[in-house]
Amino acid sequence: MSAQPVSAGLVSAAGSGSVAGSKVLHILGPVDQIPFGEGRAFGIDGEQVAVFRLRDGNLRAVSGVCPHKGGPIADGTIDQQVVVCPLHQHAFELQTGCSTTGAKPLRTYIVFADEAGNMVLELG
């Protein structure tokens, strides 16, 4: 999946926009496209980003590629705090991206649901 950048002042204008200041918002689509307790990968500005919808409904976003051997983080298993890479079981905190198993950290992103129920990812 890919996302379109949207001006920080135009979050509700899904699918189009431009850069505003140092923040770029990307509307990723409806929150409902990710079942509770699962993740999906999105291509954003040439990067893979894994977005997870926790069982309590909160969203988390981290780099989509494991720094250990390039595993697909969005396919990993999650609980409320960590995601486990499906290839070699390295675990990463969803809030900070820090590894709990000695791998390099994942980059974290700000992600939230807007008033229309779309996931919005902030870069910058």
Side-chain angles (χ1 to χ4, degrees):
M1 296 182 197
S2 64
Q4 298 293 320
V6 176
S7 166
L10 300 174
V11 172
S12 62
S16 63
S18 61
V19 176
S22 61
K23 296 181 183 177
V24 178
L25 302 178
H26 293 266
I27 295 180
L28 306 178
V31 171
D32 293 345
Q33 69 180 295
I34 304 178
F36 289 103
E38 293 188 19
R40 295 291 183 269
F42 295 87
I44 300 170
D45 291 344
E47 295 182 37
Q48 285 286 317
V49 176
V51 179
F52 296 94
R53 186 177 183 198
L54 305 182
R55 294 208 181 274
D56 66 4
N58 285 317
L59 299 171
R60 297 286 186 269
V62 297
S63 308
V65 179
C66 181
H68 175 240
K69 294 281 184 180
I73 292 296
D75 294 341
T77 55
I78 64 168
D79 63 16
Q80 286 296 110
Q81 279 85 38
V82 300
V83 57
V84 179
C85 178
L87 292 186
H88 299 98
Q89 286 65 57
H90 278 284
F92 301 90
E93 294 178 2
L94 289 166
Q95 190 72 36
T96 65
C98 291
S99 172
T100 62
T101 54
K104 293 180 182 176
L106 296 173
R107 179 178 175 188
T108 59
Y109 301 88
I110 295 172
V111 63
F112 58 92
D114 67 8
E115 294 174 357
N118 289 309
M119 295 175 289
V120 180
L121 185 94
E122 180 180 313
L123 293 179

